[in-house]
Amino acid sequence: MVYALLFSVLIIASCGLIYELIAGALASYLLGDSVTQFSTVIGTYLFAMGIGSYLSRYIGRGLVARFITIELLVGIFGGFSATVLFVFFSYAGILKPLLYFFVGIIGILVGLEIPLRLRILKDRLEFKDLVSQVLTFDYLGALAASLLFPILLAPKLGLVKTCLLFGLLNALVACGTVWLFRLQLTRLRFMKIQCALVTLILLAGFLFAERL
C-alpha cells in the first residue's frame, strides 16, 4: 500500500505541474508576452498552493475521504480548464479573470494534496523516511511533467486533450485510493459512484476532445 500511495504522489505532482504549464502556454498563445504570462501564472499558482497547504490544517477527520474528493475536484477543474478558457475567449473575449480563477482554484486544491498525503502516510513510515520519500516522488513527478509536456504532450495531443488526460489521471488516483482504503471508508458506495461519474465524464471529454 505504501508504494502505491507514493506512486500516486508522482502522478499528482505531474498533474499539478501540467495544469500550470498549460495555463501559462494558453495565456501566452492568446494574450502574447510569454514572459509576463508565465511569470504571473506561476506566481499565482504557487501562492494558491501555499493557501491550500495552510488550509489543510483545518481538515481534521476523514482524511482519506477528503483526499479523494480533492482529487476528483482537481480532475474536473484541471481537466476542463483549457476547454472552458478557449470557449470563453472565443465567444466572449474573456480570458484573464477566468484564467486566474482556474489557476487559483487548482493551485489551492493541489496545495491540499501533499499535506493530506503526508498525514495519511504518517502511521506507515518514520517521519524522516516519510518526508524524504514523498518529496522525492513529488519532484520526480514534476521533472517527468516538465519533460513530457514540451516534447510529447503539447505537440502530439494539444492543450485541451492533454488537460483532459491528466484530469483523468487525477480521477484514477481517486479510484485507486478508494480501492486501497475500501475497508476504512464509511461511505464506500457513494465514493465509488462519485469516482465512476467523474472518470466517465473526463473519459468522454478526452475521447471527444476534437469536437470540443
Side-chain angles (χ1 to χ4, degrees):
M1 178 184 287
V2 171
Y3 289 109
L5 292 174
L6 289 172
F7 181 70
S8 74
V9 171
L10 187 146
I11 295 175
I12 61 180
S14 301
C15 293
L17 186 59
I18 287 292
Y19 300 138
E20 182 182 357
L21 292 172
I22 287 175
L26 192 149
S28 299
Y29 292 160
L30 299 180
L31 299 176
D33 192 1
S34 59
V35 173
T36 299
Q37 303 310 328
F38 267 100
S39 295
T40 53
V41 165
I42 290 170
T44 304
Y45 186 82
L46 291 175
F47 174 69
M49 284 181 65
I51 294 174
S53 296
Y54 178 79
L55 292 176
S56 68
R57 65 186 296 183
Y58 297 107
I59 301 176
R61 297 180 180 179
L63 294 179
V64 175
R66 298 292 184 274
F67 178 82
I68 292 165
T69 301
I70 288 165
E71 283 303 297
L72 295 177
L73 288 172
V74 174
I76 287 291
F77 277 100
F80 284 100
S81 59
T83 303
V84 173
L85 291 170
F86 273 126
V87 167
F88 271 81
F89 183 79
S90 299
Y91 291 99
I94 299 171
L95 183 65
K96 275 194 174 181
L98 205 57
L99 170 70
Y100 290 105
F101 169 77
F102 272 100
V103 169
I105 291 295
I106 295 168
I108 289 170
L109 292 170
V110 170
L112 287 165
E113 289 176 327
I114 296 301
L116 292 184
R117 220 25 154 191
L118 283 167
R119 290 165 64 186
I120 290 169
L121 282 164
K122 70 180 177 65
D123 295 327
R124 294 172 172 82
L125 289 170
E126 290 187 21
F127 182 75
K128 62 183 179 67
D129 296 326
L130 171 63
V131 174
S132 64
Q133 291 191 41
V134 167
L135 292 181
T136 296
F137 278 88
D138 185 51
Y139 296 145
L140 284 174
L143 174 64
S146 66
L147 294 176
L148 286 173
F149 180 71
I151 295 171
L152 181 64
L153 297 171
K156 299 296 182 182
L157 295 179
L159 300 186
V160 170
K161 210 164 187 178
T162 299
C163 249
L164 289 162
L165 173 63
F166 279 82
L168 190 57
L169 287 178
N170 274 122
L172 291 176
V173 168
C175 294
T177 305
V178 168
W179 184 80
L180 286 173
F181 291 91
R182 60 193 181 278
L183 300 179
Q184 301 175 31
L185 292 169
T186 55
R187 304 171 67 190
L188 181 60
R189 185 176 180 183
F190 179 67
M191 286 291 175
K192 285 182 177 179
I193 292 171
Q194 277 187 320
C195 289
L197 184 60
V198 171
T199 302
L200 288 174
I201 290 171
L202 287 162
L203 181 59
F206 180 79
L207 293 175
F208 294 99
E210 298 299 330
R211 292 188 180 185
L212 292 174

